[in-house]
Amino acid sequence: MNLLSLIDQLAGAAASEQPTARRSALSQLARTAAATLPLALGAVAQPAVAQRAGTQLDALLLLLQVEWLQDEFYGRALGTPTLVPAAIQPDLTLIREQQRQHIARLEAIVAASGGAVPARPRYDFTGTRGGTQAAAFADVFSNTDTMLAVAQVLEDLSVRAYLGQVSLLTSNDDLLTLATRGVTVEGRHSAHLRLLRRQRGTDVKPWVSATDNGGPVPSATAPVYAGEDRVRQLVTATREVDLSTITPLLPFSPAITEAERRAAVTEAIDEPLTATAVQAVVALFTA
């Protein structure tokens, strides 16, 4: 990742806020929805989209695949009796509403640019790929903890998918705004789901960490977290720096170990995921 370039691109995104209790965090999600609503409803002119392979149209269609996946997942979860506890139904409902705002905006841009919006695929959230392999999440819609774990994986995937497509959208301010706000919203979704899981006793940090150990089912979910252990980052187009070796302006008190320093660096930066890697994860949940 070109660190300085990405920081510059994300400069207009919503500022992060301190971790809060669930009710306050839910209100943060609502404020995020309000911030993205003009984009979702097409309040700005639909930007023209380049339709060459590997450029803007491909990026938008990839993000649409991820958003469809999440929308379908939350729809099924909320429609399954007794699966979602009453206390967190508003949380998942709001998250789904925001996914649907993203979908409306993405579909509108693709259509307005003359692109074809494909039909949604059929989904299989057990991970059997339509019964062709053993289930990775057999109880996803009968066990609340499994459902929340898969929801977190999908949100973590979405963050990395948006980051991976930012570079293709930088030539269009509206599309870049869409992508950077998407990163912010999906990141908050992920953090909120991690909070919900912590409240149910799961030992998980509010952000992606090595302690995730490849996700809830590493054999299936490890690709979502592959590469998140990087400590070397591009600071120019050709120069990488190991951020874990940089001397801090102020000493840590108490002092931290080298392993803790490296862990802090990897947790500080979400890595982009390539289109190929994103499509492979989406395929895991496609029948």
Side-chain angles (χ1 to χ4, degrees):
M1 178 190 296
N2 189 325
L3 183 60
L4 295 185
S5 175
L6 184 62
I7 290 173
D8 181 61
Q9 292 163 9
L10 297 179
S16 61
E17 300 182 30
Q18 295 297 319
T20 61
R22 190 190 72 81
R23 180 176 297 177
S24 179
L26 186 58
S27 69
Q28 287 182 20
L29 290 179
R31 289 197 296 274
T32 304
T36 59
L37 193 58
L39 286 175
L41 297 182
V44 296
Q46 304 295 352
V49 176
Q51 296 192 37
R52 292 179 290 109
T55 56
Q56 293 172 350
L57 181 62
D58 298 286
L60 296 176
L61 290 175
L62 180 71
L63 296 177
L64 195 52
Q65 287 183 44
V66 176
E67 296 285 3
W68 280 342
L69 181 69
Q70 294 171 295
D71 176 45
E72 182 71 19
F73 177 81
Y74 290 118
R76 292 192 192 182
L78 289 165
T80 302
T82 74
L83 176 64
V84 181
I88 67 171
Q89 284 185 5
D91 306 59
L92 299 195
T93 298
L94 180 55
I95 289 174
R96 190 191 186 202
E97 288 174 357
Q98 293 181 11
Q99 307 294 7
R100 304 196 92 176
Q101 290 172 7
H102 295 171
I103 289 169
R105 177 61 170 154
L106 288 166
E107 289 182 345
I109 294 173
V110 171
S113 299
V117 177
R120 291 198 189 195
R122 293 174 56 245
Y123 298 107
D124 175 3
F125 291 101
T126 65
T128 67
R129 297 195 181 192
T132 62
Q133 61 186 33
F137 317 101
D139 61 348
V140 62
F141 292 130
S142 60
N143 183 310
T144 301
D145 292 315
T146 302
M147 181 272 295
L148 289 174
V150 174
Q152 175 202 300
V153 167
L154 297 183
E155 296 294 350
D156 290 341
L157 170 68
S158 187
V159 170
R160 298 192 69 186
Y162 270 96
L163 285 172
Q165 301 309 303
V166 163
S167 63
L168 295 178
L169 305 176
T170 55
S171 64
N172 184 299
D173 288 344
D174 286 335
L175 295 181
L176 180 58
T177 299
L178 178 75
T180 53
R181 287 186 177 177
V183 171
T184 303
V185 173
E186 302 298 344
R188 289 194 176 191
H189 290 175
S190 173
H192 193 72
L193 285 161
R194 288 167 177 268
L195 171 64
L196 296 181
R197 295 186 69 206
R198 284 175 63 87
Q199 291 174 339
R200 293 178 61 85
T202 301
D203 183 14
V204 61
K205 290 187 176 182
W207 47 78
V208 173
S209 165
T211 59
D212 288 333
N213 295 318
V217 182
S219 61
T221 56
V224 176
Y225 303 96
E228 287 281 17
D229 58 350
R230 282 180 57 89
V231 293
R232 299 187 64 84
Q233 297 291 337
L234 284 167
V235 294
T236 69
T238 58
R239 179 170 173 256
E240 280 191 346
V241 171
D242 184 340
L243 299 184
S244 68
T245 65
I246 295 176
T247 302
L249 295 177
L250 297 174
F252 289 100
S253 181
I256 64 173
T257 66
E258 177 65 21
E260 289 172 331
R261 184 193 294 252
R262 292 178 67 86
V265 168
T266 62
E267 292 176 3
I269 301 172
D270 284 316
E271 296 291 339
L273 208 57
T274 67
T276 299
V278 172
Q279 289 166 343
V281 177
V282 172
L284 173 65
F285 298 103
T286 303

